[in-house]
Amino acid sequence: NAGVTQTPKFQVLKTGQSMTLQCAQDMNHEYMSWYRQDPGMGLRLIHYSVGAGITDQGEVPNGYNVSRSTTEDFPLRLLSAAPSQTSVYFCASSTPTQGSGLNTEAFFGQGTRLTVV
Amino acid sequence: AQRVTQPEKLLSVFKGAPVELKCNYSYSGSPELFWYVQYSRQRLQLLLRHISRESIKGFTADLNKGETSFHLKKPFAQEEDSAMYYCALSGVSTDKLIFGTGTRLQVFP
């Protein structure tokens, strides 16, 4: 059971380059999200999706695009990388408890450490 | 506005000492509160949630709606408790998790 898988684990980009961070989950979770983790700022929500075909912005969406064509995959795209996007990126997935509406555990990927020079 | 505040960036204690990691929140409605932990070189994982009212690895957390707090406590810290701890909240009708800035716990031998 792989859970949430992120690729790559490490990446160095030059300013202005574009790239896609991949996230895949095999738990059939409806909800997926992307966070960035920066020292002293905790985890901040970039974008999230409540199901295939539905995405929405989080707290810090600028400079990032997402799409959700399947339940399993939720890629994060950097269109033109900037040094301010140097961070560790985490993907997470979860599904609400059936019937109760109570939120269940979020499962996280191992992270992608991105450096923009 | 939804917000989670963890006032301590770093908490250092000796093995066997009590630990309390503070978490305060602001939320209009009834939130669900969580503690997530990230051990060195491991992915972020759920430690406990208030709705379960359980003790995990000796840790407990009580939701105090009057003080809007959800402090994490352990009576006797162990070296393996050293990690980054994040308090988080979500609304009943949403899966969006809002995280605090995290507290690094260091337990010395």
Side-chain angles (χ1 to χ4, degrees), chain A residues 31-37 41-49 56-62 64 74 90 92, chain B residues 2 94-99:
Chain A
Y31 184 83
M32 296 186 74
S33 53
W34 277 101
Y35 293 86
R36 57 178 291 172
Q37 183 186 44
M41 305 192 76
L43 280 80
R44 292 180 293 170
L45 183 64
I46 304 171
H47 284 285
Y48 65 98
S49 169
D56 206 346
Q57 297 181 349
E59 180 186 356
V60 287
N62 292 340
Y64 308 94
F74 190 45
F90 288 98
Chain B
Q2 304 170 17
T94 174
D95 288 284
K96 284 175 60 176
L97 270 174
I98 305 299
F99 284 88

mmCIF file of all heavy atoms in Angstrom, chain A residues 31-37 41-49 56-62 64 74 90 92, chain B residues 2 94-99:
data_model
loop_
_atom_site.group_PDB
_atom_site.id
_atom_site.type_symbol
_atom_site.label_atom_id
_atom_site.label_comp_id
_atom_site.label_asym_id
_atom_site.label_seq_id
_atom_site.Cartn_x
_atom_site.Cartn_y
_atom_site.Cartn_z
ATOM 1 N N TYR A 31 -10.454 13.999 -1.312
ATOM 2 C CA TYR A 31 -9.846 15.294 -1.034
ATOM 3 C C TYR A 31 -8.337 15.213 -1.159
ATOM 4 O O TYR A 31 -7.709 14.334 -0.569
ATOM 5 C CB TYR A 31 -10.231 15.751 0.370
ATOM 6 C CG TYR A 31 -9.743 17.131 0.731
ATOM 7 C CD1 TYR A 31 -10.451 18.264 0.341
ATOM 8 C CD2 TYR A 31 -8.569 17.308 1.458
ATOM 9 C CE1 TYR A 31 -10.002 19.533 0.663
ATOM 10 C CE2 TYR A 31 -8.115 18.568 1.782
ATOM 11 C CZ TYR A 31 -8.839 19.684 1.386
ATOM 12 O OH TYR A 31 -8.389 20.936 1.689
ATOM 13 N N MET A 32 -7.758 16.136 -1.925
ATOM 14 C CA MET A 32 -6.304 16.217 -2.042
ATOM 15 C C MET A 32 -5.886 17.678 -1.937
ATOM 16 O O MET A 32 -6.655 18.583 -2.299
ATOM 17 C CB MET A 32 -5.814 15.614 -3.360
ATOM 18 C CG MET A 32 -6.097 14.118 -3.477
ATOM 19 S SD MET A 32 -5.370 13.368 -4.942
ATOM 20 C CE MET A 32 -3.626 13.324 -4.493
ATOM 21 N N SER A 33 -4.685 17.882 -1.460
ATOM 22 C CA SER A 33 -4.228 19.253 -1.241
ATOM 23 C C SER A 33 -2.727 19.341 -1.377
ATOM 24 O O SER A 33 -2.022 18.336 -1.264
ATOM 25 C CB SER A 33 -4.664 19.743 0.144
ATOM 26 O OG SER A 33 -4.244 18.832 1.150
ATOM 27 N N TRP A 34 -2.253 20.571 -1.614
ATOM 28 C CA TRP A 34 -0.829 20.866 -1.664
ATOM 29 C C TRP A 34 -0.505 21.936 -0.628
ATOM 30 O O TRP A 34 -1.221 22.939 -0.511
ATOM 31 C CB TRP A 34 -0.427 21.393 -3.040
ATOM 32 C CG TRP A 34 -0.168 20.339 -4.062
ATOM 33 C CD1 TRP A 34 -0.990 19.928 -5.057
ATOM 34 C CD2 TRP A 34 1.035 19.570 -4.192
ATOM 35 N NE1 TRP A 34 -0.386 18.943 -5.793
ATOM 36 C CE2 TRP A 34 0.864 18.700 -5.284
ATOM 37 C CE3 TRP A 34 2.244 19.533 -3.484
ATOM 38 C CZ2 TRP A 34 1.845 17.803 -5.703
ATOM 39 C CZ3 TRP A 34 3.217 18.637 -3.897
ATOM 40 C CH2 TRP A 34 3.021 17.781 -4.992
ATOM 41 N N TYR A 35 0.580 21.697 0.098
ATOM 42 C CA TYR A 35 1.081 22.644 1.080
ATOM 43 C C TYR A 35 2.541 22.955 0.775
ATOM 44 O O TYR A 35 3.256 22.136 0.212
ATOM 45 C CB TYR A 35 1.011 22.064 2.493
ATOM 46 C CG TYR A 35 -0.376 21.843 3.043
ATOM 47 C CD1 TYR A 35 -1.062 20.660 2.783
ATOM 48 C CD2 TYR A 35 -0.995 22.802 3.825
ATOM 49 C CE1 TYR A 35 -2.329 20.452 3.280
ATOM 50 C CE2 TYR A 35 -2.264 22.603 4.339
ATOM 51 C CZ TYR A 35 -2.926 21.425 4.064
ATOM 52 O OH TYR A 35 -4.183 21.224 4.577
ATOM 53 N N ARG A 36 2.951 24.123 1.217
ATOM 54 C CA ARG A 36 4.379 24.407 1.249
ATOM 55 C C ARG A 36 4.783 24.627 2.700
ATOM 56 O O ARG A 36 4.010 25.185 3.499
ATOM 57 C CB ARG A 36 4.762 25.602 0.369
ATOM 58 C CG ARG A 36 4.075 26.907 0.666
ATOM 59 C CD ARG A 36 4.586 28.015 -0.244
ATOM 60 N NE ARG A 36 5.984 28.382 0.063
ATOM 61 C CZ ARG A 36 6.730 29.215 -0.668
ATOM 62 N NH1 ARG A 36 6.224 29.762 -1.765
ATOM 63 N NH2 ARG A 36 7.970 29.498 -0.322
ATOM 64 N N GLN A 37 5.964 24.148 3.023
ATOM 65 C CA GLN A 37 6.469 24.223 4.393
ATOM 66 C C GLN A 37 7.701 25.102 4.407
ATOM 67 O O GLN A 37 8.710 24.785 3.760
ATOM 68 C CB GLN A 37 6.804 22.829 4.915
ATOM 69 C CG GLN A 37 7.279 22.789 6.358
ATOM 70 C CD GLN A 37 7.727 21.397 6.766
ATOM 71 O OE1 GLN A 37 8.433 20.704 6.032
ATOM 72 N NE2 GLN A 37 7.319 20.957 7.955
ATOM 73 N N MET A 41 6.948 29.362 9.368
ATOM 74 C CA MET A 41 5.623 29.660 8.808
ATOM 75 C C MET A 41 4.728 28.434 8.756
ATOM 76 O O MET A 41 3.579 28.536 8.310
ATOM 77 C CB MET A 41 5.783 30.265 7.412
ATOM 78 C CG MET A 41 6.685 31.485 7.407
ATOM 79 S SD MET A 41 6.621 32.409 5.880
ATOM 80 C CE MET A 41 5.075 33.252 6.066
ATOM 81 N N GLY A 42 5.222 27.314 9.174
ATOM 82 C CA GLY A 42 4.387 26.121 9.200
ATOM 83 C C GLY A 42 4.031 25.640 7.809
ATOM 84 O O GLY A 42 4.766 25.860 6.847
ATOM 85 N N LEU A 43 2.896 24.992 7.704
ATOM 86 C CA LEU A 43 2.384 24.512 6.422
ATOM 87 C C LEU A 43 1.294 25.453 5.948
ATOM 88 O O LEU A 43 0.329 25.715 6.667
ATOM 89 C CB LEU A 43 1.822 23.099 6.541
ATOM 90 C CG LEU A 43 2.816 21.952 6.523
ATOM 91 C CD1 LEU A 43 3.471 21.775 7.869
ATOM 92 C CD2 LEU A 43 2.136 20.658 6.090
ATOM 93 N N ARG A 44 1.448 25.919 4.736
ATOM 94 C CA ARG A 44 0.446 26.807 4.165
ATOM 95 C C ARG A 44 -0.187 26.157 2.945
ATOM 96 O O ARG A 44 0.507 25.633 2.077
ATOM 97 C CB ARG A 44 1.084 28.153 3.800
ATOM 98 C CG ARG A 44 1.524 28.980 5.015
ATOM 99 C CD ARG A 44 2.141 30.298 4.584
ATOM 100 N NE ARG A 44 3.395 30.114 3.880
ATOM 101 C CZ ARG A 44 4.040 31.075 3.233
ATOM 102 N NH1 ARG A 44 3.523 32.287 3.171
ATOM 103 N NH2 ARG A 44 5.193 30.828 2.637
ATOM 104 N N LEU A 45 -1.504 26.240 2.887
ATOM 105 C CA LEU A 45 -2.261 25.587 1.832
ATOM 106 C C LEU A 45 -2.136 26.355 0.526
ATOM 107 O O LEU A 45 -2.398 27.562 0.471
ATOM 108 C CB LEU A 45 -3.733 25.481 2.253
ATOM 109 C CG LEU A 45 -4.675 24.759 1.310
ATOM 110 C CD1 LEU A 45 -4.293 23.293 1.167
ATOM 111 C CD2 LEU A 45 -6.109 24.884 1.821
ATOM 112 N N ILE A 46 -1.751 25.645 -0.541
ATOM 113 C CA ILE A 46 -1.578 26.282 -1.848
ATOM 114 C C ILE A 46 -2.861 26.136 -2.683
ATOM 115 O O ILE A 46 -3.480 27.105 -3.093
ATOM 116 C CB ILE A 46 -0.390 25.664 -2.604
ATOM 117 C CG1 ILE A 46 0.888 25.745 -1.780
ATOM 118 C CG2 ILE A 46 -0.187 26.369 -3.953
ATOM 119 C CD1 ILE A 46 2.051 24.973 -2.377
ATOM 120 N N HIS A 47 -3.213 24.896 -2.959
ATOM 121 C CA HIS A 47 -4.432 24.559 -3.691
ATOM 122 C C HIS A 47 -5.002 23.271 -3.124
ATOM 123 O O HIS A 47 -4.277 22.483 -2.521
ATOM 124 C CB HIS A 47 -4.144 24.341 -5.184
ATOM 125 C CG HIS A 47 -3.916 25.578 -5.975
ATOM 126 N ND1 HIS A 47 -4.927 26.442 -6.350
ATOM 127 C CD2 HIS A 47 -2.766 26.099 -6.482
ATOM 128 C CE1 HIS A 47 -4.408 27.428 -7.054
ATOM 129 N NE2 HIS A 47 -3.108 27.252 -7.153
ATOM 130 N N TYR A 48 -6.299 23.066 -3.349
ATOM 131 C CA TYR A 48 -6.897 21.826 -2.923
ATOM 132 C C TYR A 48 -7.981 21.398 -3.893
ATOM 133 O O TYR A 48 -8.407 22.178 -4.748
ATOM 134 C CB TYR A 48 -7.463 21.933 -1.502
ATOM 135 C CG TYR A 48 -8.614 22.899 -1.337
ATOM 136 C CD1 TYR A 48 -9.931 22.451 -1.345
ATOM 137 C CD2 TYR A 48 -8.383 24.262 -1.153
ATOM 138 C CE1 TYR A 48 -10.976 23.329 -1.185
ATOM 139 C CE2 TYR A 48 -9.426 25.144 -0.997
ATOM 140 C CZ TYR A 48 -10.721 24.679 -1.006
ATOM 141 O OH TYR A 48 -11.765 25.554 -0.840
ATOM 142 N N SER A 49 -8.399 20.152 -3.744
ATOM 143 C CA SER A 49 -9.419 19.587 -4.631
ATOM 144 C C SER A 49 -10.326 18.673 -3.830
ATOM 145 O O SER A 49 -9.852 17.825 -3.068
ATOM 146 C CB SER A 49 -8.746 18.800 -5.756
ATOM 147 O OG SER A 49 -9.703 18.039 -6.477
ATOM 148 N N ASP A 56 -9.645 24.348 -6.063
ATOM 149 C CA ASP A 56 -9.864 25.668 -5.495
ATOM 150 C C ASP A 56 -8.564 26.166 -4.879
ATOM 151 O O ASP A 56 -7.644 25.384 -4.611
ATOM 152 C CB ASP A 56 -10.967 25.644 -4.447
ATOM 153 C CG ASP A 56 -11.647 27.006 -4.292
ATOM 154 O OD1 ASP A 56 -11.092 28.021 -4.796
ATOM 155 O OD2 ASP A 56 -12.723 27.060 -3.688
ATOM 156 N N GLN A 57 -8.505 27.483 -4.683
ATOM 157 C CA GLN A 57 -7.289 28.090 -4.155
ATOM 158 C C GLN A 57 -7.249 28.013 -2.644
ATOM 159 O O GLN A 57 -8.263 28.105 -1.962
ATOM 160 C CB GLN A 57 -7.220 29.561 -4.596
ATOM 161 C CG GLN A 57 -7.119 29.737 -6.095
ATOM 162 C CD GLN A 57 -7.035 31.205 -6.479
ATOM 163 O OE1 GLN A 57 -7.252 32.086 -5.665
ATOM 164 N NE2 GLN A 57 -6.710 31.462 -7.737
ATOM 165 N N GLY A 58 -6.034 27.893 -2.149
ATOM 166 C CA GLY A 58 -5.808 27.949 -0.719
ATOM 167 C C GLY A 58 -5.296 29.311 -0.307
ATOM 168 O O GLY A 58 -5.658 30.333 -0.894
ATOM 169 N N GLU A 59 -4.407 29.306 0.660
ATOM 170 C CA GLU A 59 -3.890 30.554 1.235
ATOM 171 C C GLU A 59 -2.859 31.248 0.350
ATOM 172 O O GLU A 59 -2.795 32.472 0.291
ATOM 173 C CB GLU A 59 -3.286 30.239 2.601
ATOM 174 C CG GLU A 59 -2.702 31.414 3.360
ATOM 175 C CD GLU A 59 -2.012 30.975 4.633
ATOM 176 O OE1 GLU A 59 -2.051 29.761 4.957
ATOM 177 O OE2 GLU A 59 -1.419 31.833 5.316
ATOM 178 N N VAL A 60 -2.019 30.447 -0.333
ATOM 179 C CA VAL A 60 -0.909 31.014 -1.111
ATOM 180 C C VAL A 60 -0.885 30.434 -2.524
ATOM 181 O O VAL A 60 0.053 29.741 -2.911
ATOM 182 C CB VAL A 60 0.445 30.792 -0.397
ATOM 183 C CG1 VAL A 60 0.567 31.697 0.814
ATOM 184 C CG2 VAL A 60 0.616 29.321 0.000
ATOM 185 N N PRO A 61 -1.882 30.733 -3.365
ATOM 186 C CA PRO A 61 -1.977 30.086 -4.674
ATOM 187 C C PRO A 61 -1.144 30.713 -5.784
ATOM 188 O O PRO A 61 -0.918 30.073 -6.827
ATOM 189 C CB PRO A 61 -3.463 30.236 -4.999
ATOM 190 C CG PRO A 61 -3.839 31.542 -4.344
ATOM 191 C CD PRO A 61 -3.025 31.608 -3.074
ATOM 192 N N ASN A 62 -0.691 31.942 -5.601
ATOM 193 C CA ASN A 62 -0.042 32.669 -6.696
ATOM 194 C C ASN A 62 1.237 31.977 -7.144
ATOM 195 O O ASN A 62 2.103 31.636 -6.337
ATOM 196 C CB ASN A 62 0.262 34.101 -6.263
ATOM 197 C CG ASN A 62 -1.007 34.909 -6.071
ATOM 198 O OD1 ASN A 62 -2.065 34.560 -6.587
ATOM 199 N ND2 ASN A 62 -0.911 35.977 -5.298
ATOM 200 N N TYR A 64 1.220 29.147 -8.836
ATOM 201 C CA TYR A 64 0.989 27.696 -8.918
ATOM 202 C C TYR A 64 -0.340 27.408 -9.626
ATOM 203 O O TYR A 64 -1.314 28.117 -9.421
ATOM 204 C CB TYR A 64 0.933 27.068 -7.530
ATOM 205 C CG TYR A 64 2.086 27.370 -6.622
ATOM 206 C CD1 TYR A 64 2.011 28.428 -5.719
ATOM 207 C CD2 TYR A 64 3.254 26.606 -6.654
ATOM 208 C CE1 TYR A 64 3.068 28.719 -4.868
ATOM 209 C CE2 TYR A 64 4.304 26.884 -5.804
ATOM 210 C CZ TYR A 64 4.197 27.945 -4.911
ATOM 211 O OH TYR A 64 5.251 28.215 -4.067
ATOM 212 N N PHE A 74 -2.925 14.508 -8.566
ATOM 213 C CA PHE A 74 -3.147 15.934 -8.298
ATOM 214 C C PHE A 74 -1.810 16.670 -8.488
ATOM 215 O O PHE A 74 -1.120 17.013 -7.530
ATOM 216 C CB PHE A 74 -3.677 16.123 -6.880
ATOM 217 C CG PHE A 74 -4.165 17.504 -6.576
ATOM 218 C CD1 PHE A 74 -4.967 18.204 -7.468
ATOM 219 C CD2 PHE A 74 -3.871 18.117 -5.361
ATOM 220 C CE1 PHE A 74 -5.444 19.472 -7.182
ATOM 221 C CE2 PHE A 74 -4.335 19.386 -5.053
ATOM 222 C CZ PHE A 74 -5.127 20.056 -5.970
ATOM 223 N N PHE A 90 4.415 19.570 0.210
ATOM 224 C CA PHE A 90 3.760 18.348 0.650
ATOM 225 C C PHE A 90 2.394 18.223 -0.004
ATOM 226 O O PHE A 90 1.624 19.179 -0.062
ATOM 227 C CB PHE A 90 3.576 18.340 2.171
ATOM 228 C CG PHE A 90 4.843 18.140 2.928
ATOM 229 C CD1 PHE A 90 5.532 19.224 3.448
ATOM 230 C CD2 PHE A 90 5.356 16.868 3.119
ATOM 231 C CE1 PHE A 90 6.712 19.042 4.149
ATOM 232 C CE2 PHE A 90 6.538 16.674 3.816
ATOM 233 C CZ PHE A 90 7.210 17.767 4.330
ATOM 234 N N ALA A 92 -1.204 15.986 0.248
ATOM 235 C CA ALA A 92 -1.954 15.213 1.244
ATOM 236 C C ALA A 92 -3.285 14.777 0.659
ATOM 237 O O ALA A 92 -3.816 15.404 -0.256
ATOM 238 C CB ALA A 92 -2.181 16.042 2.507
ATOM 239 N N GLN B 2 -10.039 32.137 10.261
ATOM 240 C CA GLN B 2 -9.542 30.878 10.802
ATOM 241 C C GLN B 2 -8.049 30.994 11.055
ATOM 242 O O GLN B 2 -7.302 31.389 10.167
ATOM 243 C CB GLN B 2 -9.802 29.747 9.818
ATOM 244 C CG GLN B 2 -11.256 29.594 9.419
ATOM 245 C CD GLN B 2 -11.407 28.621 8.279
ATOM 246 O OE1 GLN B 2 -10.511 27.846 8.000
ATOM 247 N NE2 GLN B 2 -12.538 28.659 7.613
ATOM 248 N N THR B 94 -15.839 20.890 5.931
ATOM 249 C CA THR B 94 -14.759 21.006 4.968
ATOM 250 C C THR B 94 -13.576 20.162 5.406
ATOM 251 O O THR B 94 -13.378 19.925 6.586
ATOM 252 C CB THR B 94 -14.298 22.464 4.806
ATOM 253 O OG1 THR B 94 -13.142 22.499 3.959
ATOM 254 C CG2 THR B 94 -13.902 23.063 6.147
ATOM 255 N N ASP B 95 -12.810 19.701 4.422
ATOM 256 C CA ASP B 95 -11.602 18.953 4.738
ATOM 257 C C ASP B 95 -10.369 19.832 4.773
ATOM 258 O O ASP B 95 -9.277 19.358 5.013
ATOM 259 C CB ASP B 95 -11.403 17.834 3.706
ATOM 260 C CG ASP B 95 -12.408 16.711 3.888
ATOM 261 O OD1 ASP B 95 -12.224 15.926 4.831
ATOM 262 O OD2 ASP B 95 -13.372 16.656 3.103
ATOM 263 N N LYS B 96 -10.522 21.114 4.534
ATOM 264 C CA LYS B 96 -9.360 22.006 4.547
ATOM 265 C C LYS B 96 -8.744 22.027 5.927
ATOM 266 O O LYS B 96 -9.410 22.294 6.922
ATOM 267 C CB LYS B 96 -9.780 23.421 4.162
ATOM 268 C CG LYS B 96 -10.035 23.612 2.683
ATOM 269 C CD LYS B 96 -10.564 24.998 2.384
ATOM 270 C CE LYS B 96 -9.613 26.077 2.795
ATOM 271 N NZ LYS B 96 -10.102 27.426 2.406
ATOM 272 N N LEU B 97 -7.448 21.748 5.965
ATOM 273 C CA LEU B 97 -6.716 21.779 7.221
ATOM 274 C C LEU B 97 -5.917 23.075 7.294
ATOM 275 O O LEU B 97 -5.149 23.383 6.372
ATOM 276 C CB LEU B 97 -5.753 20.593 7.303
ATOM 277 C CG LEU B 97 -6.254 19.295 7.916
ATOM 278 C CD1 LEU B 97 -5.194 18.217 7.764
ATOM 279 C CD2 LEU B 97 -6.626 19.474 9.372
ATOM 280 N N ILE B 98 -6.070 23.791 8.381
ATOM 281 C CA ILE B 98 -5.296 24.994 8.631
ATOM 282 C C ILE B 98 -4.283 24.658 9.720
ATOM 283 O O ILE B 98 -4.658 24.224 10.812
ATOM 284 C CB ILE B 98 -6.191 26.147 9.105
ATOM 285 C CG1 ILE B 98 -7.325 26.387 8.098
ATOM 286 C CG2 ILE B 98 -5.355 27.414 9.301
ATOM 287 C CD1 ILE B 98 -6.873 26.765 6.708
ATOM 288 N N PHE B 99 -3.000 24.856 9.406
ATOM 289 C CA PHE B 99 -1.940 24.487 10.325
ATOM 290 C C PHE B 99 -1.391 25.697 11.066
ATOM 291 O O PHE B 99 -1.375 26.822 10.556
ATOM 292 C CB PHE B 99 -0.782 23.825 9.570
ATOM 293 C CG PHE B 99 -1.059 22.415 9.155
ATOM 294 C CD1 PHE B 99 -1.689 22.143 7.944
ATOM 295 C CD2 PHE B 99 -0.692 21.349 9.960
ATOM 296 C CE1 PHE B 99 -1.950 20.839 7.552
ATOM 297 C CE2 PHE B 99 -0.937 20.051 9.573
ATOM 298 C CZ PHE B 99 -1.575 19.798 8.377
#
